[in-house]
């Protein structure tokens, strides 16, 4: 069963549009940033279904994705964590996975925690 969508597509696309139009991240209202992050996380989980990698974008959201061994308890073995602006740059293709990991704005641990094949999302 695919994950249930919590952010309506129209709302997510609108939030992404506002984020793309902003000259800098501080100009984006926090609720708009949160909606765009949650929407793109949902898109990732729909496009790469599974439960072997947990992608965290605190405080906005987290999803499990990518097929493989399922995580059920405790700290997952495959984790990706970043901030909202970096996640949206990855999701929209304005920053590459390699750049973000290289400069330390993405923390990825585990053998399956490479999202480069699944990015950009939109």
């Amino acid at each position: 069963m695919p994950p249930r969508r919590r952010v309506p597509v129209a709302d997510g696309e609108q939030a992404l549009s506002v984020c793309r139009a902003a000259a800098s991240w501080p100009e984006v209202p926090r609720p708009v940033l949160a909606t765009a992050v949650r929407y793109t996380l949902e898109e990732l989980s729909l496009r790469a279904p599974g439960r072997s990698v947990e992608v965290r974008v605190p405080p906005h959201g987290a999803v499990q994705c990518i097929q493989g061994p399922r995580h059920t308890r405790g700290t997952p073995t495959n984790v990706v964590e970043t901030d909202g602006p970096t996640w949206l740059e990855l999701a929209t293709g304005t920053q590459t996975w390699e750049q973000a990991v290289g400069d330390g704005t993405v923390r990825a641990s585990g053998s399956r925690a490479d999202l480069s094949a699944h990015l950009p999302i939109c």
Side-chain angles (χ1 to χ4, degrees), residues 17-115:
S17 177
V18 170
C19 291
R20 285 182 172 136
S24 66
W25 289 112
E27 290 181 12
V28 178
R30 185 176 169 95
V32 172
L33 177 70
T35 298
V37 167
R38 289 180 186 123
Y39 172 68
T40 53
L41 285 171
E42 287 179 1
E43 283 296 308
L44 174 65
S45 70
L46 290 169
R47 294 174 187 208
R51 293 182 170 257
S52 69
V53 178
E54 185 166 294
V55 180
R56 301 173 181 167
V57 184
H60 307 297
V63 294
Q64 290 185 350
C65 58
I66 304 177
Q67 293 197 12
R70 182 179 171 172
H71 163 71
T72 55
R73 294 185 61 179
T75 302
T77 56
N78 299 288
V79 177
V80 173
E81 188 166 339
T82 191
D83 59 85
T86 300
W87 172 250
L88 290 178
E89 289 172 356
L90 290 166
T92 60
T94 58
Q95 183 172 193
T96 68
W97 177 257
E98 293 76 17
Q99 289 169 324
V101 170
D103 69 18
T105 56
V106 166
R107 291 158 306 285
S109 63
S111 61
R112 296 179 179 271
D114 180 347
L115 300 181

